[in-house]
Amino acid sequence: MKKKLFSLFLALVASVGTIFAKAVQIGDLYYNLNYPTVEVARNGSVSGDITIPSSVTYSSVTYSVTSIGYGAFSGCSGLTSVTIPNSVESIGGSAFENCTGLTSVTIPNSVKSIGSSAFSGCSSLTSVTIGNSVTSIGDRAFSGCSSLTSITIPNSVTSIGKSAFAGCTGLVSVTIPNSVTSIGSYAFTRCDGLTSIDVASDNSNYCSVDGVLFNKDKTTLIQYPGGKQGAYTIPNNVTSIGDGAFGNCSSLTSVTIPNSVTSIGSGAFGNCSSLTSVTIPNSVTSIGNQAFSGCTGLTSVTIPNSVTSIRNGAFWNCSSLTSITCEAVTPPTLSNTFSGVDKSTCVLYVPAGSVSAYKYADEWKYFTKILPIGAQPADVTTTTVTPSETTADIAWPQVTGAATYTIEIKKNGELICTLTFNAQGQLISIAFAAPSRNNAPQQAQAAGFSFTVTSLDSGTTYSYTMTAKDNNGNVLKTESGTFTTTGATAIDELLSDQVQCTKVIREGQIFILRGDKTYTLTGQETIMP
């Protein structure tokens, strides 16, 4: 009876001591006492090969070592190897973080959980053996283990945390066992050498198609291996691209996104530096935070009219962007979306009737060049002009091999308007004295293209020339002709009743404000942009 009371007394003393006392040194290491167990405490500097004992004795009391505490060996760059005893059940967060000299570690079968950032930054770690009792691998557990070439995840693991193996650039393959039910976002991002993510065929939550990780029904693309090169076409049944799915895939040159996709997750294509262009399908309604951030090779992007929100930094630091086509009539809401894009040189193409809206919309207004989306496809074999009072619809054929189309309009031999279009009929530059453009739908490949020039003088004869050139500047086709606009009511007649009027210049055009109505210089009632 006395022995039992004495043992109980020792237990109480040890328990109370844990609350008030600091970690105690036993041998070469420090421990937090919590009778009948101890936790390996934070050690200031440990080097070489160490063996953690399964039990320690302090003040004549023996404790079982059951856990390695938070940050226990964090920053011990001189630590080269560690032997963990079978008594240990958990490895705490950041336990071996930034132990840059650690080359190998064996996690015994007794361990059930590996904490967040437990081995993060262990850049010399080449191999890890995980015991078959581990059920969870924490967030960033092995992130930055750049020398790790292989990892075997045992069937006991049910969850793999966010960024668990991010930055394991030496990892070439990984197999997800059938026990895994949860994989966090960015789990294998920045794994530049990873060419395949395989999944056990009987896993009920995940699957692999050509080495790409999907959920079981293949509606969500979770992770694309960073080492796969070239172009990739996303399967038609995919509805969402997960957070970081293609993140840091520097070898990805192009991606085809099907119309089935409705959402693009945060960082989905972040830092895909070889990606040069992307067309987002009309099914997408939102683009996530930093979805394309750091895509420094991206030169053009098309945003469909279905998109209503483009989240924070979605195209941040896409420094090579020269062309953005946004088909939305109402400017989508932005949040530092295009930070790092040169808005003085990058041309923003928007629906013709929405140019003014974009010029006054938050963030969109900082683009210096906001132009209407290009020419309308037209089924023509030769250049034709259909004039009205103050406008002219010019249609020209598509020329094989043409890189640019230039249309010049002259009045009495004097050049008044030069329009230049790319191979798809998209307006890329405009220089004019008076004419501008009217509403025209988005360009598309067809037999040809058409474009509406406005603010012409009524009852006036004009001449035009269409020139098609290849990439070397060689003229492939040229056509010329004349057209005459129909007559219109003179402005003098409109103002004959002496009603006070105001002259306004807007987007290179002169308008007359008379009461609550607006007129062109030809006397035609209109709506001022």
Side-chain angles (χ1 to χ4, degrees):
M1 182 65 180
K2 287 182 179 180
K3 288 184 178 180
K4 289 183 178 180
L5 289 174
F6 180 70
S7 297
L8 180 60
F9 171 75
L10 288 177
L12 290 172
V13 169
S15 179
V16 173
T18 301
I19 298 174
F20 295 101
K22 295 182 178 179
V24 297
Q25 185 174 7
I26 306 173
D28 295 330
L29 302 177
Y30 286 83
Y31 300 87
N32 292 319
L33 306 178
N34 185 19
Y35 185 84
T37 65
V38 294
E39 172 186 80
V40 179
R42 187 170 183 85
N43 289 266
S45 180
V46 176
S47 61
D49 302 337
I50 68 166
T51 298
I52 299 173
S54 58
S55 64
V56 293
T57 300
Y58 183 75
S59 296
S60 301
V61 179
T62 299
Y63 300 81
S64 177
V65 180
T66 58
S67 63
I68 300 174
Y70 177 85
F73 299 96
S74 178
C76 293
S77 57
L79 183 63
T80 54
S81 71
V82 59
T83 301
I84 302 173
N86 282 323
S87 58
V88 171
E89 297 179 356
S90 66
I91 300 174
S94 302
F96 295 92
E97 185 175 19
N98 293 324
C99 289
T100 54
L102 189 63
T103 58
S104 64
V105 65
T106 298
I107 300 171
N109 289 335
S110 56
V111 173
K112 298 177 181 177
S113 64
I114 302 173
S116 299
S117 301
F119 295 91
S120 176
C122 293
S123 55
S124 297
L125 193 63
T126 58
S127 65
V128 176
T129 301
I130 302 177
N132 56 20
S133 292
V134 172
T135 59
S136 64
I137 299 174
D139 296 348
R140 305 173 303 282
F142 294 93
S143 66
C145 293
S146 54
S147 298
L148 193 64
T149 56
S150 65
I151 185 78
T152 300
I153 302 173
N155 278 327
S156 55
V157 172
T158 59
S159 67
I160 299 173
K162 294 180 180 178
S163 302
F165 296 92
C168 292
T169 53
L171 197 63
V172 294
S173 65
V174 66
T175 299
I176 309 297
N178 58 14
S179 57
V180 172
T181 60
S182 172
I183 301 175
S185 55
Y186 301 92
F188 299 97
T189 192
R190 292 186 288 112
C191 293
D192 299 342
L194 190 62
T195 57
S196 178
I197 302 173
D198 299 316
V199 180
S201 59
D202 54 347
N203 188 296
S204 58
N205 293 273
Y206 300 98
C207 69
S208 177
V209 180
D210 296 328
V212 181
L213 180 63
F214 293 86
N215 66 338
K216 192 64 175 180
D217 62 4
K218 304 182 184 70
T219 57
T220 300
L221 193 155
I222 299 171
Q223 189 74 64
Y224 184 84
K228 287 179 78 74
Q229 298 182 352
Y232 180 68
T233 299
I234 298 174
N236 284 325
N237 55 312
V238 172
T239 58
S240 65
I241 301 172
D243 294 349
F246 291 86
N248 296 278
C249 291
S250 57
S251 297
L252 183 69
T253 56
S254 69
V255 61
T256 301
I257 305 174
N259 284 324
S260 57
V261 171
T262 59
S263 65
I264 299 175
S266 298
F269 295 91
N271 297 314
C272 290
S273 54
S274 297
L275 195 62
T276 57
S277 66
V278 63
T279 297
I280 300 168
N282 210 35
S283 52
V284 173
T285 58
S286 66
I287 301 174
N289 296 329
Q290 300 181 327
F292 295 91
S293 66
C295 290
T296 52
L298 196 62
T299 59
S300 64
V301 62
T302 298
I303 301 168
N305 56 19
S306 56
V307 171
T308 58
S309 175
I310 306 176
R311 306 295 291 277
N312 184 48
F315 294 93
W316 175 82
N317 203 31
C318 291
S319 53
S320 297
L321 269 179
T322 59
S323 172
I324 299 171
T325 299
C326 188
E327 299 171 352
V329 174
T330 301
T333 302
L334 303 184
S335 178
N336 296 316
T337 300
F338 295 102
S339 295
V341 175
D342 189 345
K343 299 174 183 63
S344 65
T345 58
C346 182
V347 182
L348 174 61
Y349 297 99
V350 301
S354 301
V355 171
S356 294
Y358 278 83
K359 285 184 176 180
Y360 291 99
D362 287 345
E363 297 193 36
W364 293 108
K365 63 185 179 184
Y366 298 121
F367 284 89
T368 302
K369 301 177 181 179
I370 303 179
L371 299 176
I373 289 173
Q376 174 181 350
D379 189 12
V380 293
T381 56
T382 186
T383 302
T384 60
V385 180
T386 305
S388 61
E389 288 185 1
T390 59
T391 66
D393 294 330
I394 302 178
W396 67 97
Q398 180 183 349
V399 179
T400 301
T404 60
Y405 300 93
T406 301
I407 296 176
E408 294 181 339
I409 299 176
K410 295 181 179 180
K411 175 183 175 182
N412 298 325
E414 180 181 354
L415 182 65
I416 63 170
C417 180
T418 302
L419 303 167
T420 304
F421 304 84
N422 62 17
Q424 290 75 40
Q426 188 176 51
L427 183 67
I428 56 177
S429 69
I430 182 170
F432 55 86
S436 64
R437 62 154 296 167
N438 201 352
N439 194 349
Q442 182 187 6
Q443 77 283 355
Q445 292 291 352
F449 308 97
S450 71
F451 192 81
T452 302
V453 179
T454 65
S455 298
L456 299 173
D457 295 334
S458 62
T460 303
T461 298
Y462 293 88
S463 62
Y464 68 87
T465 300
M466 187 285 296
T467 304
K469 295 181 179 180
D470 63 16
N471 279 317
N472 297 317
N474 300 314
V475 175
L476 302 178
K477 186 180 182 68
T478 183
E479 293 182 313
S480 299
T482 61
F483 65 90
T484 302
T485 55
T486 58
T489 303
I491 192 67
D492 292 338
E493 181 180 340
L494 176 67
L495 305 179
S496 61
D497 55 4
Q498 304 301 312
V499 174
Q500 185 175 358
C501 298
T502 303
K503 182 172 72 172
V504 175
I505 299 177
R506 181 68 59 82
E507 295 186 6
Q509 300 182 63
I510 300 175
F511 298 91
I512 302 298
L513 304 184
R514 183 175 183 271
D516 60 353
K517 295 183 178 181
T518 302
Y519 299 88
T520 66
L521 285 179
T522 61
Q524 184 179 21
E525 187 175 345
T526 186
I527 298 176
M528 188 167 58

